[in-house]
Amino acid sequence: MAEVIDGNRIAREVRAEVRAQTLELKEKRGITPGLAVVLVGEDPASKIYVGHKEKAAAEAGFLSREYRLPAETTEGSLREIVAGLNASPEIHGILVQLPLPKHINPDVVIETIDPRKDVDGFHPVNIGGLFTGRPGHRACTPLGVIELLDRSGIAIEGKEAVIVGRSNIVGKPLALMLLNRHATVTICHTRTRDLAAVARRADILVAAAGRAEMVRGDMVKEGAVVIDVGINRKADGKLVGDVAFAEAAARASYITPVPGGVGPMTIAMLLRNTLSAASLWGEAGA
Ligand code: GUN
């Protein structure tokens, strides 16, 4: 039976470290990390996420600024707001919550953010940095997966890692992060032939497909580490991941639950990215 990786506990640890380092940054250099969170429209899930991000930022001792804009906001005026935040000395991190309303091109907005303030790690400059192994912000959810593995004492080097899902937010950046840590990486997707056979090769199996309980027990190699990035709400209101938990746990060595696994790590890593943006601000090369 698998050991359950407690994402709530690990996220609390990271957040406590960020809080302590924030205090030190304030005392030694007089810098308070500032995070601006921008939400356009009324998407209910986004409203909840944004609320959690603002609360976590305040708890870490950050300056937290929120911009809740109407759904009719134009791309031009959103870009003007972002440009203003780029120029603001008290803001070190800018997060524009996705998805944006259909009339706004998210790529154009993301490219407006100063890459040094792009604490989501979505700007092409930061993605390029990940690709080539140069410094820069890394996307929070895949970074959280790496942190869970590291803090659980799970080695990555030399392992067979299989990721189910190829999104820009999770699957693709996580593949590069695992590759940079010397794993052998395979990305599976909807057109993959014999997904189960590929998944069964994995020492580290990551489910990030956005489909409820699609990873079944017979796709998990005995002793594999199973990381579930999915959050899906079933018809009965219950939250489940992309992994059929009980079946997978019967074969895995470690497994993350949903909720309480990867989810809480995303915000913890957002705080860490913002702290790092604030401490690098004004330093040579930053
Ligand atoms: N929507 C879903 N996940 C994320 C995220 O990590 N960052 C932003 N900005 N929007 C999201």
Side-chain angles (χ1 to χ4, degrees):
M1 193 64 192
E3 183 171 323
V4 177
I5 298 176
D6 185 348
N8 284 322
R9 178 184 61 76
I10 296 173
R12 264 198 309 276
E13 278 173 25
V14 172
R15 286 169 63 165
E17 289 165 15
V18 169
R19 195 162 48 241
Q21 288 161 11
T22 297
L23 205 57
E24 199 181 313
L25 189 66
K26 282 186 198 174
E27 282 172 357
K28 293 212 172 125
R29 293 173 51 203
I31 300 170
T32 299
L35 175 66
V37 178
V38 183
L39 173 64
V40 184
E42 302 290 331
D43 182 69
S46 290
K47 277 185 173 172
I48 294 171
Y49 291 142
V50 160
H52 288 161
K53 288 170 186 177
E54 289 158 356
K55 183 162 170 277
E59 278 172 16
F62 294 3
L63 171 81
S64 169
R65 290 255 184 278
E66 48 182 280
Y67 297 82
R68 293 176 186 246
L69 310 173
E72 316 76 69
T73 304
T74 63
E75 188 176 285
S77 55
L78 180 56
R79 291 185 69 195
E80 273 172 32
I81 288 167
V82 170
L85 295 168
N86 283 341
S88 165
E90 65 181 16
I91 294 299
H92 306 95
I94 302 169
L95 182 146
V96 179
Q97 184 67 25
L98 303 178
L100 288 166
K102 290 208 175 5
H103 64 278
I104 301 179
N105 181 341
D107 293 335
V108 169
V109 175
I110 288 164
E111 282 166 33
T112 307
I113 300 173
D114 183 325
R116 295 169 299 176
K117 297 192 178 187
D118 166 42
V119 286
D120 256 329
F122 293 166
H123 191 286
V125 165
N126 286 319
I127 294 171
L130 171 62
F131 199 94
T132 54
R134 275 178 289 186
H137 292 301
R138 303 289 182 252
C140 301
T141 302
L143 204 53
V145 171
I146 300 287
E147 195 71 23
L148 283 180
L149 294 172
D150 284 345
R151 292 195 186 226
S152 304
I154 296 161
I156 298 172
E157 186 173 337
K159 297 285 180 65
E160 285 268 357
V162 174
I163 302 166
V164 185
R166 57 174 157 182
S167 70
N168 289 335
I169 293 185
V170 182
K172 281 192 261 180
L174 180 59
L176 284 161
M177 290 178 200
L178 290 166
L179 181 63
N180 291 344
R181 293 286 299 272
H182 314 293
T184 302
V185 183
T186 304
I187 306 181
C188 299
H189 44 78
T190 40
R191 313 264 171 95
T192 299
R193 273 181 281 142
D194 204 352
L195 175 65
V198 180
R200 271 194 300 272
R201 292 210 306 260
D203 302 309
I204 299 171
L205 178 60
V206 182
R211 274 180 50 206
E213 298 176 320
M214 63 149 330
V215 171
R216 313 302 312 189
D218 67 356
M219 296 165 71
V220 176
K221 181 169 78 174
E222 201 67 46
V225 174
V226 178
I227 306 288
D228 191 349
V229 185
I231 306 179
N232 312 282
R233 198 172 287 280
K234 294 220 290 194
D236 62 5
K238 197 174 158 237
L239 276 187
V240 294
D242 288 359
V243 175
F245 183 86
E247 290 176 20
R251 297 172 67 122
S253 57
Y254 290 88
I255 189 165
T256 62
V258 175
V262 175
M265 293 302 292
T266 300
I267 290 182
M269 303 325 283
L270 171 70
L271 298 178
R272 205 161 78 180
N273 281 351
T274 306
L275 172 66
S276 138
S279 61
L280 287 172
W281 194 256
E283 301 260 302

